[in-house]
Amino acid sequence: MQPLANDMTGDTETSFSAEELAAGDKLFLRPWRFVKGVVGIEHLPAADRPEVAFAGRSNVGKSSLINALVRQHGLARTSNTPGRTQELNVFEPEPGLVDCYLFDLPGYGFAKAPKAKVDQWTGLVKDYLRGRPNLSRVFLLIDSRHGLKDIDREIMSMLDTSAVTYQVVLTKGDKLNAHKLKAVCEATTAVLAKHPAAFPTVLVTSAEKGQGIPELRATVAQLAGVEVLKQA
Ligand code: GDP
């Protein structure tokens, strides 16, 4: 499969056809709904359909990105309350087009997180990664202003070990100028080359300005198996 990429300056230049972008649009034009919040893997829904997951440090812009994808303000709630229960939040499109799940993994990397909380996060996410043969890809969100941090690299190693394919999505692309965005893209791509389970290219997004959102929708639609209708 062709690596999916968009131009680092914000002028989108992708390997997606108009039809593939249309399939992404279609999937996310449907209303999406919250299925459940899962605190232990015994409560996971059956692994009977394709799914993708979104992971990232708290405050990376994960809820904003999910809400931008589904065009629904407030579907994914911000997870940056340190005391909040760590849950895997599951979403699905309303029935009709294709059955799939979108998982919002709890944010990691609180500066002052107690060890017990970090262990709980690791246990829950490791169990999840181990138990989902239908998990097509993890989108690993990285704040474009900060690039990859040590904690992100630890997560990448965990994903490598679990042999789950993951793709880095840079968030808040609107906060950097084209030159800086290009530099962070190149630095991130160089690191990804050393990780066996990593998708080789990064996707630059901005939930605020919409950059990269059609490409991300098309990627999810592709992974979910949405039929691409060829134009006559
Ligand atoms: P989460 O903790 O990862 O779910 O992060 P949130 O979605 O709650 O976002 C954290 C902060 O970053 C909020 O203040 C958002 O308004 C801001 N933010 C998120 N996405 C963007 C973006 O694309 N551009 C800009 N400028 N700010 C963003």
Side-chain angles (χ1 to χ4, degrees), residues 58-64 78-79 172 174-175 206-208:
S58 65
N59 222 33
V60 70
K62 186 156 51 64
S63 355
S64 304
T78 177
S79 53
K172 309 185 192 181
D174 58 286
K175 291 214 175 198
S206 162
E208 193 108 350

Side-chain angles (χ1 to χ4, degrees), residues 46-205:
D48 60 358
R49 62 199 71 184
E51 79 193 27
V52 296
F54 286 75
R57 295 173 73 206
S58 65
N59 222 33
V60 70
K62 186 156 51 64
S63 355
S64 304
L65 190 67
I66 293 173
N67 288 334
L69 278 179
V70 299
R71 300 184 178 87
Q72 282 166 252
H73 218 70
L75 183 73
R77 278 174 305 141
T78 177
S79 53
N80 55 6
T81 320
R84 204 168 132 190
T85 317
Q86 308 207 56
E87 298 185 326
L88 309 170
N89 286 314
V90 190
F91 302 97
E92 67 179 2
E94 282 191 353
L97 184 63
V98 71
D99 288 329
C100 62
Y101 288 131
L102 188 157
F103 271 64
D104 179 8
L105 306 187
Y108 55 80
F110 284 114
K112 293 189 175 76
K115 186 173 179 307
K117 191 174 165 74
V118 175
D119 289 349
Q120 190 211 343
W121 187 95
T122 310
L124 181 61
V125 173
K126 272 192 177 163
D127 284 350
Y128 166 67
L129 296 174
R130 247 196 307 263
R132 302 302 278 183
N134 57 327
L135 176 59
S136 307
R137 189 172 300 175
V138 173
F139 294 102
L140 181 62
L141 275 45
I142 304 294
D143 191 322
S144 53
R145 292 168 305 172
H146 307 314
L148 290 169
K149 297 279 188 191
D150 287 349
I151 182 84
D152 300 313
R153 290 167 188 257
E154 283 175 34
I155 303 305
M156 288 165 72
S157 300
M158 192 171 112
L159 291 163
D160 287 332
T161 315
S162 314
V164 176
T165 306
Y166 57 96
Q167 180 169 15
V168 168
V169 174
L170 294 176
T171 60
K172 309 185 192 181
D174 58 286
K175 291 214 175 198
L176 290 187
N177 64 34
H179 179 70
K180 287 189 174 153
L181 206 47
K182 186 168 188 291
V184 75
C185 272
E186 285 173 357
T188 310
T189 307
V191 174
L192 293 178
K194 299 186 194 117
H195 286 264
F199 206 78
T201 55
V202 304
L203 190 60
V204 180
T205 63

